[in-house]
Amino acid sequence: MNAATAADYGWIRSASSVFQYGLEMGYTLTLVRGISPAELLSVAGAEALGACEGVGEFMEGHTEILFGYEDFPESFLAGAFTVPGEGGDWTLALEFGGDLGTRPSIMEALSTGTRAVSHSSNGAKFMDFFHWYEDGKLRTTFEWPAERTGSTPDELNTLMLEVGLNPAGDQRPDVDTKAAAFALAERLTGVRVTEELLAQAHYQTGEVPEEPAAEGEGVTVDVTDAHGERTSF
């Protein structure tokens, strides 16, 4: 039985950790069982960009895209690779400043017939999210452990307690909730994420376009002047 807890992921806070950039910049880490990295990137609508050897090269590619725009970035770099886990191979996808693993349309498609789990942070705003999808359905999601939604919001309560999260109220001050999110993802996937795994992975990369903003409904105003003529705008 997988017994991962927050203590197993204390390395993410180390000053020398390869993950420090993700905590500062924001990140999303997604795990999907039974699909290939290329399939995941295709479902996400990514333009394939080739491979990166190690997280250092991947971060360089991310920075190149980030600063390639004069104003707000219109895309982000996602990197994916295969890892062993519960029930077979999984694809791990990582982004810095991206949101692939938080878009419902992508996660529903990725999880059809299988399982998908993601956790994320937007860095400086201290907003952290966890998502568990099963066969195209959002089962449990939360920003704060005590405020869960989804079709089965309470199903992970026992696991949450075991990894160090409190689904009933205030969190323990001695538990790193971000490390606990890593541990909860491991409980659901069997994938142990280590610093060495991220540092040495062979990333297949793709450039994912930002999600377009929803268009507001237009409003037509009719104005009638003193001569009875109407103008619409």
Side-chain angles (χ1 to χ4, degrees), residues 194-211:
T194 65
E195 184 167 15
E196 292 74 21
L197 178 70
L198 297 181
Q200 300 171 13
H202 178 87
Y203 293 84
Q204 293 187 42
T205 67
E207 187 171 353
V208 182
E210 287 288 348
E211 198 166 23

Side-chain angles (χ1 to χ4, degrees), residues 48-231:
L49 294 180
C52 289
E53 295 295 339
V55 74
E57 188 174 327
F58 175 63
M59 290 169 62
E60 290 176 4
H62 157 76
T63 302
E64 184 177 336
I65 289 177
L66 182 66
F67 292 104
Y69 293 96
E70 294 183 1
D71 298 312
F72 192 81
E74 297 175 6
S75 62
F76 57 86
L77 187 68
F81 57 92
T82 301
V83 288
E86 181 181 327
D89 285 341
W90 293 66
T91 286
L92 185 156
L94 179 64
E95 318 124 49
F96 296 121
D99 62 356
L100 181 158
T102 67
R103 297 185 190 179
S105 60
I106 292 176
M107 291 295 283
E108 289 167 5
L110 289 174
S111 65
T112 298
T114 187
R115 172 175 291 183
V117 176
S118 72
H119 52 93
S120 61
S121 171
N122 69 349
K125 292 185 179 179
F126 303 105
M127 296 173 65
D128 304 287
F129 297 94
F130 190 93
H131 304 278
W132 165 38
Y133 283 80
E134 199 85 22
D135 196 16
K137 304 294 184 182
L138 176 59
R139 297 287 296 275
T140 305
T141 183
F142 58 86
E143 178 182 0
W144 306 108
E147 300 176 3
R148 302 172 306 283
T149 58
S151 63
T152 58
D154 298 330
E155 189 165 342
L156 300 184
N157 286 9
T158 298
L159 291 181
M160 292 173 71
L161 284 168
E162 291 176 359
V163 302
L165 297 171
N166 182 8
D170 294 339
Q171 299 304 297
R172 289 168 44 189
D174 61 326
V175 173
D176 182 340
T177 55
K178 177 49 62 184
F182 271 84
L184 184 59
E186 182 177 341
R187 292 289 190 109
L188 288 169
T189 65
V191 176
R192 171 62 61 94
V193 178
T194 65
E195 184 167 15
E196 292 74 21
L197 178 70
L198 297 181
Q200 300 171 13
H202 178 87
Y203 293 84
Q204 293 187 42
T205 67
E207 187 171 353
V208 182
E210 287 288 348
E211 198 166 23
E215 295 184 3
E217 294 184 0
V219 177
T220 301
V221 179
D222 290 329
V223 176
T224 303
D225 63 18
H227 304 287
E229 297 181 357
R230 298 178 62 189
T231 302

